[in-house]
Amino acid sequence: MSMRILVAEDEALIRLDLVEMLSEAGYEIVAQASNGAEAIELVEMHKPDLAIMDINMPIMDGLTAAEKIVNSTPVLMLTAFSQRDLVMKASEIGVMGYVVKPFTINDLIPAMEVATSRFRVMSELTKEIADLSQKLEVRKLVDKAKGILMKALNLSEAEAFSWIQKTAMDRRLTMKEVAEAVISPDAAPGR
């Protein structure tokens, strides 16, 4: 499957050269933008696998636009500027790669592959962190509910956990829902 790319570059000749270069290398160009605001709209519309963006563009610069799309699409910055402050800002906002003009397709392809790979890894890690946070929250609720049940019904910790598990299965609820019901002030746990 070919990588689907959005190209955002305000200079038409550079944009057309880049599109031609990428197309000849087998990539699918799904959209082209001449400014950052347009790039954001086109990313939302086309959901590309990668956005290649220039930094200096009218209406909205590439870094500002990148900041608005980096959570949904990996961004590779193309620029004539290699100033450290721009590189640092790009990194801080979550840009996955940075290529300085002039460049060749041999410079671009590895940067594109690294950018999409890093984005995939970061997305998986973000999802894993969210899952772990949710599991930790459920565990805290279940532990609190166990404490309440142990005190109210004179149960051991294992018995309180079994009560929560069995109640969840019997009532077709999640353990989180049962724990929340036990914890709520109007809940009156019973066997």
Side-chain angles (χ1 to χ4, degrees):
M1 187 172 102
S2 175
M3 189 184 302
R4 301 173 64 253
I5 301 171
L6 167 129
V7 174
E9 164 67 64
D10 62 321
E11 294 183 42
L13 284 176
I14 294 173
R15 186 174 63 248
L16 293 174
D17 282 347
L18 182 56
V19 166
E20 184 180 342
M21 188 186 306
L22 291 167
S23 296
E24 286 175 0
Y27 296 97
E28 179 185 352
I29 308 306
V30 294
Q32 298 178 45
S34 60
N35 65 67
E38 185 181 17
I40 293 169
E41 289 176 23
L42 291 171
V43 163
E44 290 172 6
M45 187 182 312
H46 295 281
K47 310 274 190 259
D49 300 319
L50 177 69
I52 299 177
M53 302 177 67
D54 187 19
I55 287 184
N56 283 340
M57 291 189 288
I59 302 174
M60 181 185 292
D61 68 84
L63 286 174
T64 303
E67 193 168 15
K68 298 183 184 307
I69 65 171
V70 293
N71 291 327
S72 64
T73 303
V75 176
L76 176 66
M77 298 306 302
L78 286 182
T79 183
F81 305 99
S82 61
Q83 291 112 326
R84 186 174 178 80
D85 62 323
L86 290 177
V87 175
M88 293 299 289
K89 173 140 178 143
S91 180
E92 287 170 7
I93 64 172
V95 167
M96 294 288 149
Y98 197 97
V99 177
V100 179
K101 299 173 189 175
F103 55 85
T104 66
I105 193 70
N106 293 330
D107 299 324
L108 204 51
I109 290 175
M112 291 166 46
E113 296 296 333
V114 168
T116 55
S117 176
R118 281 184 65 203
F119 182 80
R120 203 170 19 259
V121 168
M122 293 298 289
S123 296
E124 289 168 6
L125 287 173
T126 300
K127 184 180 182 297
E128 194 174 316
I129 288 168
D131 290 347
L132 289 172
S133 293
Q134 184 176 0
K135 285 178 183 176
L136 180 60
E137 195 58 39
V138 169
R139 184 174 179 154
K140 286 179 185 177
L141 287 171
V142 169
D143 283 348
K144 188 172 182 180
K146 283 191 308 188
I148 292 169
L149 291 170
M150 289 165 62
K151 186 174 181 182
L153 302 176
N154 196 27
L155 301 174
S156 70
E157 184 176 357
E159 289 170 330
F161 184 77
S162 291
W163 186 93
I164 293 169
Q165 248 183 340
K166 183 176 182 332
T167 302
M169 285 189 288
D170 290 350
R171 296 184 183 174
R172 295 184 181 195
L173 298 170
T174 65
M175 288 180 61
K176 177 183 178 189
E177 291 168 326
V178 172
E180 287 172 336
V182 169
I183 293 167
S184 73
D186 55 323
R191 286 183 159 219

